[in-house]
Amino acid sequence: MGQDTRGFDGGKMINGRKRHLAVDMRGMALAVMVTPAAPHDSIPARDRLFRLRLPHPELAVAWADSAYGGTLVGWSHTFLGITLKTVPRRKDQDGFAVLAKRWRAERAISWIMRARRNVRDHERLISHSEAHITWTFITLMVRRLTRPPRPPRTSPHPVEPVKAVGRPQPVRLRMQQPTIRLAPTALR
């Protein structure tokens, strides 16, 4: 028949599928990959990074879960030119805790879970699951593009480390929307 698209991960106690997301610094999806839950995260990671590198050749640094560490760090630097940095758990951590850099991916996962269809995975094909997650991110991006911009944050995010005092702050430029003319004024 076909390839089995479901599995069981004994470490995370997940039955079904795993969702692997690559997000930018704002939490918007760069790439989505769904795999059976049975293999360890490091097995589909090479395919995940390769599929991320093709549409995003400008990518230089990626932060990942410690499951993506080991030989994958050297492989990604040698073959893809991506510096892969793992974010380990704290020594005293028990259960879930928000970690710097990783919280962006965790936040994106919570955003896709707000879409009712993504809470449970009833799809028969992996490509359908990936399509639903991608559609959720498209909806999210359209909503963000159509709402007015927020004022810039005056204090650093509570999870991110505080930057050095002598370092210059980035400047955000906001430009007015250009006027679109459909025809020259002489023809009206």
Side-chain angles (χ1 to χ4, degrees):
M1 190 158 158
Q3 174 183 340
D4 186 25
T5 62
R6 299 199 172 267
F8 180 74
D9 181 7
K12 293 183 180 177
M13 297 302 199
I14 295 173
N15 187 13
R17 296 184 180 133
K18 288 184 189 173
R19 298 166 178 171
H20 304 271
L21 294 177
V23 297
D24 64 2
M25 295 302 281
R26 293 182 181 177
M28 292 292 117
L30 297 175
V32 175
M33 182 176 173
V34 178
T35 61
H40 188 264
D41 290 345
S42 62
I43 294 172
R46 287 184 186 213
D47 186 36
R48 162 77 271 128
L49 286 171
F50 184 73
R51 287 170 60 178
L52 176 64
R53 185 62 166 171
L54 288 176
H56 299 284
E58 73 281 358
L59 186 67
V61 179
W63 287 276
D65 190 345
S66 59
Y68 292 97
T71 60
L72 187 64
V73 174
W75 180 86
S76 66
H77 187 67
T78 304
F79 291 102
L80 301 176
I82 298 174
T83 303
L84 187 63
K85 297 182 179 182
T86 59
V87 182
R89 293 173 56 142
R90 287 183 235 142
K91 302 279 187 224
D92 59 342
Q93 181 179 337
D94 186 32
F96 177 78
V98 178
L99 299 174
K101 306 296 181 194
R102 266 181 51 185
W103 70 271
R104 298 175 193 277
E106 302 294 341
R107 178 183 61 179
I109 290 170
S110 72
W111 289 341
I112 66 169
M113 289 305 196
R114 287 185 195 167
R116 187 173 54 131
R117 183 86 182 240
N118 293 328
V119 174
R120 300 281 183 265
D121 191 14
H122 298 290
E123 311 307 321
R124 293 183 65 189
L125 299 175
I126 286 179
S127 60
H128 291 175
S129 296
E130 289 175 354
H132 283 292
I133 294 170
T134 305
W135 186 256
T136 302
F137 273 111
I138 289 170
T139 305
L140 235 159
M141 284 189 246
V142 167
R143 286 182 185 160
R144 295 217 175 135
L145 286 171
T146 57
R147 73 178 179 204
R150 291 190 306 189
R153 185 184 293 266
T154 57
S155 62
H157 193 277
V159 177
E160 294 293 325
V162 178
K163 296 178 183 173
V165 176
R167 200 174 206 181
Q169 294 293 324
V171 177
R172 292 186 182 187
L173 298 176
R174 294 211 170 117
M175 303 190 59
Q176 292 182 347
Q177 297 291 334
T179 305
I180 300 173
R181 293 185 179 170
L182 300 177
T185 52
L187 296 177
R188 290 186 187 178

